[in-house]
Amino acid sequence: MAVTYRAEAPDQIIVERLGAIDALYHRRSGTTHLVAAPVPQILEALGEGATDVAGLLARLAARFDLDTPDDEAKAALEQRLAELIDLGLVRGER
């Protein structure tokens, strides 16, 4: 069964753009995270609603006019999602 990913509720994250990086203040944890691409783009794509890795890759590919994502891209995205789950910014559910 595929994992469905969803971003933390938008009212729980305050974003401050700082050029090449973003500061994300996570209200629930009281933690500020400094992040760079592709984290803000992943969170924005998840803001469209919960999805699995394939759906998220499709959203990102459409937004950034990317070639058809391959297994390497899928693995890299799954790794970023795992990191975002550890930070509490994304949830993954089976």
Side-chain angles (χ1 to χ4, degrees), residues 15-67:
V15 179
E16 184 67 34
R17 306 237 185 259
L18 304 171
I21 62 171
D22 290 354
L24 306 178
Y25 176 71
H26 186 222
R27 289 178 193 244
R28 191 179 319 271
S29 69
T31 304
T32 300
H33 306 282
L34 297 177
V35 299
V39 171
Q41 294 79 7
I42 291 170
L43 293 174
E44 287 174 15
L46 281 175
E48 295 176 21
T51 188
D52 61 8
V53 170
L56 185 54
L57 274 172
R59 288 178 190 173
L60 293 168
R63 259 186 200 185
F64 297 102
D65 196 26
L66 304 175
D67 293 332

